[in-house]
Amino acid sequence: MPYNLPATRLLMNRLRQVMAEEGETRSRLDKVVRLIASTMVADVCSIYLRLQDGALLLIATEGLKADAVAATRLTVNEGLVGLVARRAEPMAIQDAPRHASFSYRPETGEDPFHAFLGVPILRGGRVIGVLTVQNRTERAYDDEEIDNLQTIAMVLAEIVDRIDPDALNNGGNEKRERNTASLTGRVFCEGLGYGRAVLHDPVVPAAKFFAADQVMESHRLSDGMAELKASIDRMMALDGAALGEDPRDVMETYRLLAHDPSWAEKLQEGVKSGLSAEASVDRARREHRARLQSARDPYLRERLHDLEDLDNRLLRILGGEEGKPQISEERSVLVARRLGPAELLEYSNTGLRAILMEEAAASSHAAIVARALGIPALGGIPGLTTRIDQGDWVIVDAEEGTLHIRPDDTLYDAYKGRVSLRSERQAAYEALKDLPARTTDGTDVSLMLNAGLDLDMEMMKQAGADGVGLFRTEFQFLVSESLPKLNDQIDLYKRVLDKAEGKPVVFRTVDLGGDKVLPALNLQREENPALGWRSIRFALDHKGLFRRQLRALVRAAGDRPLTIMFPMVTVVSEFEEARDLLLAEVEWSAQRTGRRPSQVEVGVMLETPALAYGLPELAGKAEFLSVGTNDLMQFFFAADRMTPHVSDRYDLVSPSALRFLKEVSDSCKTYGIRMSACGEATGSTLSALCFVALGFTALSMSAGSIGPVKQMIRSLNLQAFRPDFLAALNAPEQDFRNQVLALAADHGIELSDG
C-alpha cells in the first residue's frame, strides 16, 4: 500500500467536496469509502456505526458484499471491529484471521482478506464508529498509514454521527434524533430556561477541517503554540514565595507538557496531512478524551486532563475572537462537559438563561456557583455534548430535571405554561419577603444567604434574607491568574459589609483544594483531594497567604463587628492556631491604625465527624458552630460528592444522619455553642424542616431557597410536630423519607420538594 503526502492532500480535498455535496447520506458514504480505498490502495474500506446499545452496524463498504450493509451487526465484544471500539485506539494486524478476536461473518464475503487496519471514529470523547481498511496480502501497516487513517476518521465523525441506521436502506437521511430529543439530569439550581446552545469547548466547524495553505497553517500553529507557552510561562513567573515549592512543581509539570516536542510534532504532522491547525489540535483532543474515558490510573488521568486542557487553550488561541463562546445577552444556554467554578464565573455577567453540564455532581462547586448566580442548571447528563450542537434551541426544565433539545411547538407551549405557574409561585414568595420566618407557635428562625460573589449581595434584599450566613471568600482567588492583592481583598470585604447594611455577615476563610484549584496556585495532585491537603490544612501551611486574608478582613471591618469561621477543622488545635493568627492580626491593626472591630466572633464549620466529638474542648473558645452539610455528609457516608455514581445516593433525611445531627445539636446546647447549618441541603424544604425540628434556629442557603423555606416555616407548628418527628426518628420505617413526608402532610406543613 504505497502512501505519500500528495495523495493525502488530494484525499482530503476530495472528502471536502463530498461532504459539501447535497443528497442522500448513503450515496455520500459510498463515495467516501471508494475514495479512501482507491487513495490508500486498499482492497476493502468499511465504516461501522456504533448504535445506542453498543453494537456496531456496517453502514458503508467498498470491497465487501453490498448486501451486508445495514445487515452485518457486531456486538462490542465481537470481532476486531469490536476490539477497536472497546479500546478506543487503532489496531493494525498483519494476518487478521489468525487473531484471537477475529470473528468470521460469511455474509460479508471477507474470506480473501488478511491485513486489517481499524481506527475509532471519535466525537466528544465517545467512540461513535469504526473505520477499517483491509488487503488481500499479509502486510504490516506503518505509523504514517495509521496516523492518516485516524485523520480521515476525524473528518468522517461529523457525518457518521448524523446517520439514522433505520434509514440506510431507503437512502440514509440524517438522524431523526436531530429533531426533538429529551435527556434527564440532576437539578443543580431550580428554574426554567430557554435559548440557543453555546458550547463551552471550542468547536471546529467541518468547513475548517482542511488547510488551504499548509505553510500558512503551519505558521499559525507555531504562533499559537508560542503564545500558549508564553501564557504558561507568565503564570510561572509569579512570586516564588507565594507559590511555594510543591505547587511550582505541579505547574512546572504542566509547562513541560506544553513544551513537549512530541506534542508539537504530532500537531504539525496533522497540518502536513492537509488539516487546518484547529483540526489537527482537535484530532489530538479527541484522542486524549477517548483515552481518558478508559484510563483507570489516577496519575494517567491527571496527565490526560492536563493535555485536554492544553488542547482547549490552544484551540481558543487559534480561534481568536471566533474561538470564544458567543454569549447573547438575550437567549443563551451554556453547554459543557465539565466546568470549574472559576470558568463558570467568567460567564457570570453574560445573561445566561441556563447552564448544562455533562460531568458534575449536585454538590460540586460549579453547581454551587450556578446557584449563587441564580441560573437554572442541570448536570450529570450522559452524552450531553454528543447530542447537542452549537445553536440548537433548548428548553431547560430545572424543576423536573429534564432537557429538551430542538423542542417542537407542543413542548414550547408547555414550557410557557410552566413559566406562568412558576411566576405565580415566585409572587407568593415575594409577598413573604418582609415577613419573619416564624412558626405558628412563635419560634423564629433566621434565614441567611449563602454568598461568595459581590453580585450575591444584591440578592439579599430581594430574597428577604436576615444576613449572610456563609460568605465563601475563595471565589476571588479562583477568578484570577495571580493571587488577589491585599487592597483588592479589603475592597471586596468592605463592599460586602456595606451592602449588608448592618445585617450579620459570616466570612468563611479561604477554602481551597478538592475541586477548587487556583490557576495561580495549583495544589499538589492527589488521589483523594477531598481528604487531602486542602482548606484549613492548606491555609495553616501557607501562613503568609492566610494572614494576608485575615488582615484584609480586619481592615475591611474597621470599627464594625467582624464574624469569621474556619472551614474543615478536624481537631481543636487547628481552630486554636487559626484563631490565634486572627487575634494577632486584630492587635496588629489596632497598633498601626488605631482601629479594631467593635466585636470579633470566631466560629468553626463542622464538616468532619471527628470535630463533633471535640465539642467539649471547643466550649468557651468558639462562639458558634455551623454545620457544613456538603462536606459533612460526604465524609459521614464515605461518598465522594464529586463522583456522580454515589454523590446523590445517600440522603441527609435518613435516620443515621439525623441522629448524628441531633447529637451535635444536644452537645451545642450543653456547651453553650451557638449553632446553625449551611450548605445546599438547607435549601430543601424537607431537610430544613428536619433541621428546625432538631433545634437549629439559623439556616443559610441560596437566595432562591429562602422563599420556599420561609413558607414552610410559617406553616409549621413546631411544638406539635417535634414530638412526632423524634418518635419517628427513634422508630423509623424502611422508607424514612416518605415517613417524614407523610408526617409533614398530617401536620399541614407546606413543602415545595420531597
Side-chain angles (χ1 to χ4, degrees):
M1 187 195 287
Y3 203 76
N4 53 58
L5 190 57
T8 306
R9 292 177 180 173
L10 179 62
L11 175 59
M12 290 299 181
N13 287 329
R14 288 180 174 175
L15 283 175
R16 175 168 54 182
Q17 293 171 4
V18 171
M19 290 172 65
E21 290 178 1
E22 295 188 5
E24 297 171 339
T25 304
R26 174 73 179 270
S27 64
R28 292 162 69 196
L29 286 175
D30 289 342
K31 290 180 182 179
V32 165
V33 291
R34 283 198 297 271
L35 271 173
I36 298 171
S38 63
T39 306
M40 297 188 71
V41 196
D43 297 310
V44 174
C45 177
S46 303
I47 301 173
Y48 294 82
L49 171 68
R50 191 168 190 174
L51 306 177
Q52 288 188 354
D53 62 2
L56 293 146
L57 181 71
L58 179 65
I59 61 170
T61 187
E62 171 70 11
L64 300 182
K65 291 181 179 179
D67 291 345
V69 173
T72 296
R73 178 187 176 109
L74 302 167
T75 70
V76 75
N77 295 315
E78 185 178 4
L80 297 175
V81 173
L83 191 59
V84 172
R86 288 200 308 279
R87 292 183 175 178
E89 59 186 26
M91 287 193 63
I93 301 170
Q94 190 165 341
D95 189 6
R98 294 182 183 177
H99 194 280
S101 294
F102 180 78
S103 176
Y104 176 63
R105 301 302 293 268
E107 74 273 13
T108 64
E110 62 180 333
D111 310 61
F113 308 111
H114 290 269
F116 171 93
L117 171 59
V119 298
I121 302 173
L122 304 169
R123 191 170 191 269
R126 183 172 61 98
V127 176
I128 63 169
V130 174
L131 172 64
T132 68
V133 293
Q134 295 171 262
N135 281 78
R136 292 176 182 271
T137 59
E138 295 183 23
R139 65 178 305 278
Y141 299 100
D142 61 33
D143 290 342
E144 183 178 350
E145 292 167 331
I146 296 170
D147 193 56
N148 284 318
L149 196 63
Q150 286 182 281
T151 299
I152 295 167
M154 185 190 75
V155 175
L156 291 179
E158 304 308 311
I159 297 176
V160 171
D161 192 49
R162 293 173 179 267
I163 302 302
D164 177 5
D166 295 330
L168 285 172
N169 288 324
N170 59 18
N173 298 315
E174 291 191 344
K175 280 189 178 181
R176 285 192 294 269
E177 73 173 26
R178 307 314 295 178
N179 296 321
T180 298
S182 296
L183 304 175
T184 59
R186 288 185 294 279
V187 175
F188 289 176
C189 181
E190 280 198 3
L192 299 169
Y194 175 72
R196 286 193 182 275
V198 174
L199 302 186
H200 170 70
D201 284 345
V203 177
V204 181
K208 293 188 177 181
F209 277 170
F210 306 99
D213 183 331
Q214 273 78 27
V215 174
M216 183 184 73
E217 288 301 301
S218 179
H219 287 314
R220 286 185 64 236
L221 180 59
S222 296
D223 291 345
M225 295 198 74
E227 186 175 339
L228 172 69
K229 294 171 187 176
S231 69
I232 296 172
D233 289 342
R234 285 194 296 271
M235 293 169 65
M236 290 294 297
L238 294 169
D239 181 11
L243 274 175
E245 183 177 349
D246 289 335
R248 282 193 67 85
D249 289 343
V250 174
M251 287 300 298
E252 181 63 29
T253 302
Y254 188 72
R255 190 183 73 84
L256 288 174
L257 286 173
H259 285 261
D260 183 359
S262 65
W263 183 50
E265 183 179 344
K266 185 173 181 63
L267 297 182
Q268 288 288 0
E269 285 175 359
V271 170
K272 290 176 183 177
S273 73
L275 292 176
S276 67
E278 289 91 342
S280 183
V281 178
D282 190 38
R283 181 182 66 174
R285 179 175 64 167
R286 292 170 191 240
E287 294 171 9
H288 294 148
R289 284 181 174 179
R291 291 177 62 197
L292 182 62
Q293 297 293 325
S294 57
R296 294 292 177 263
D297 178 68
Y299 179 81
L300 177 59
R301 288 184 66 86
E302 290 296 345
R303 295 287 72 76
L304 289 170
H305 274 304
D306 287 344
L307 283 168
E308 185 184 343
D309 184 58
L310 286 171
D311 296 332
N312 283 328
R313 283 173 181 261
L314 183 52
L315 279 173
R316 290 192 179 95
I317 289 171
L318 289 169
E321 289 301 315
E322 292 182 3
K324 298 178 181 178
Q326 299 302 307
I327 300 295
S328 164
E329 287 291 334
E330 294 182 0
R331 290 179 293 189
S332 293
V333 174
L334 183 65
V335 180
R337 288 180 69 237
R338 60 176 177 269
L339 278 171
E343 292 175 302
L344 184 48
L345 284 173
E346 293 176 357
Y347 296 99
S348 61
N349 294 312
T350 57
L352 286 176
R353 293 298 179 92
I355 300 166
L356 299 169
M357 287 179 275
E358 183 170 330
E359 300 175 11
S363 52
S364 72
H365 283 90
I368 290 172
V369 172
R371 284 188 284 270
L373 297 172
I375 301 174
L378 293 178
I381 310 172
L384 170 67
T385 52
T386 63
R387 301 285 298 278
I388 195 166
D389 288 336
Q390 185 86 358
D392 279 344
W393 286 102
V394 295
I395 290 174
V396 179
D397 183 348
E399 292 182 336
E400 301 293 333
T402 306
L403 162 67
H404 302 290
I405 306 169
R406 299 172 293 277
D408 55 24
D409 290 343
T410 302
L411 281 170
Y412 183 64
D413 289 343
Y415 160 78
K416 289 192 293 185
R418 295 283 303 282
V419 169
S420 177
L421 288 173
R422 183 171 179 84
S423 296
E424 291 177 10
R425 289 200 303 271
Q426 294 301 320
Y429 300 146
E430 176 71 18
L432 300 176
K433 183 180 68 173
D434 297 322
L435 299 177
R438 180 176 297 151
T439 65
T440 60
D441 56 325
T443 298
D444 285 321
V445 180
S446 293
L447 299 184
M448 313 281 276
L449 182 70
N450 287 340
L453 306 170
D454 197 5
L455 59 87
D456 288 338
M457 300 305 296
E458 306 297 333
M459 301 296 296
M460 195 175 76
K461 278 187 176 180
Q462 296 178 30
D466 296 317
V468 177
L470 169 64
F471 190 90
R472 302 179 176 99
T473 59
E474 59 272 5
F475 290 151
Q476 186 185 25
F477 289 73
L478 291 169
V479 296
S480 173
E481 287 192 355
S482 60
L483 295 172
K485 297 177 181 178
L486 176 66
N487 287 338
D488 292 336
Q489 294 185 61
I490 293 172
D491 290 344
L492 171 64
Y493 305 146
K494 273 185 176 178
R495 289 197 303 271
V496 171
L497 290 169
D498 289 344
K499 290 181 179 180
E501 296 180 347
K503 289 186 176 180
V505 177
V506 180
F507 291 99
R508 183 180 72 183
T509 57
V510 66
D511 182 8
L512 297 170
D515 69 331
K516 293 176 290 184
V517 181
L518 274 71
L521 194 60
N522 277 319
L523 302 184
Q524 184 68 45
R525 300 289 186 183
E526 298 172 324
E527 288 191 24
N528 295 297
L531 300 174
W533 193 45
R534 55 168 292 208
S535 202
I536 195 67
R537 302 165 181 174
F538 175 78
L540 290 175
D541 285 348
H542 288 78
K543 288 187 173 63
L545 179 151
F546 190 36
R547 291 192 67 159
R548 186 189 305 176
Q549 183 188 31
L550 296 175
R551 183 168 299 175
L553 286 163
V554 172
R555 293 271 298 277
D559 54 10
R560 291 178 287 195
L562 177 63
T563 305
I564 289 176
M565 66 178 173
F566 304 122
M568 202 180 157
V569 171
T570 303
V571 293
V572 175
S573 60
E574 292 172 333
F575 171 80
E576 292 174 331
E577 185 177 358
R579 183 198 57 182
D580 289 346
L581 289 174
L582 170 61
L583 297 179
E585 289 301 326
V586 171
E587 293 306 316
W588 186 94
S589 177
Q591 292 173 12
R592 285 161 178 76
T593 68
R595 303 177 70 188
R596 67 171 70 226
S598 59
Q599 181 183 11
V600 177
E601 285 196 323
V602 189
V604 62
M605 288 194 75
L606 176 65
E607 297 177 280
T608 65
L611 186 64
Y613 300 99
L615 295 185
E617 288 72 42
L618 273 179
K621 300 173 183 175
E623 278 84 10
F624 66 95
L625 172 149
S626 184
V627 172
T629 58
N630 297 344
D631 269 327
L632 180 61
M633 287 299 105
Q634 85 163 339
F635 298 141
F636 184 80
F637 286 115
D640 181 8
R641 62 190 178 98
M642 294 303 296
T643 302
H645 291 302
V646 299
S647 62
D648 296 326
R649 183 174 295 182
Y650 302 101
D651 191 358
L652 181 142
V653 184
S654 64
S656 58
L658 293 176
R659 285 170 183 160
F660 175 74
L661 290 171
K662 184 177 185 302
E663 287 185 30
V664 172
S665 174
D666 293 343
S667 294
C668 284
K669 292 172 184 174
T670 299
Y671 299 112
I673 301 173
R674 194 171 73 249
M675 65 180 183
S676 64
C678 61
E680 302 315 309
T682 55
S684 156
T685 53
L686 181 62
S687 298
L689 172 63
C690 295
F691 273 111
V692 173
L694 291 174
F696 287 79
T697 56
L699 304 175
S700 191
M701 60 199 67
S702 60
S705 298
I706 289 177
V709 171
K710 182 179 288 188
Q711 185 180 65
M712 178 275 294
I713 289 171
R714 290 180 61 85
S715 70
L716 167 66
N717 184 317
L718 185 57
Q719 290 185 356
F721 176 75
R722 178 179 284 155
D724 290 346
F725 171 78
L726 294 178
L729 190 57
N730 289 328
E733 296 174 0
Q734 185 171 0
D735 191 339
F736 182 72
R737 171 175 278 266
N738 278 336
Q739 184 181 3
V740 178
L741 284 170
L743 191 60
D746 290 343
H747 283 265
I749 300 169
E750 296 183 32
L751 298 177
S752 65
D753 61 73

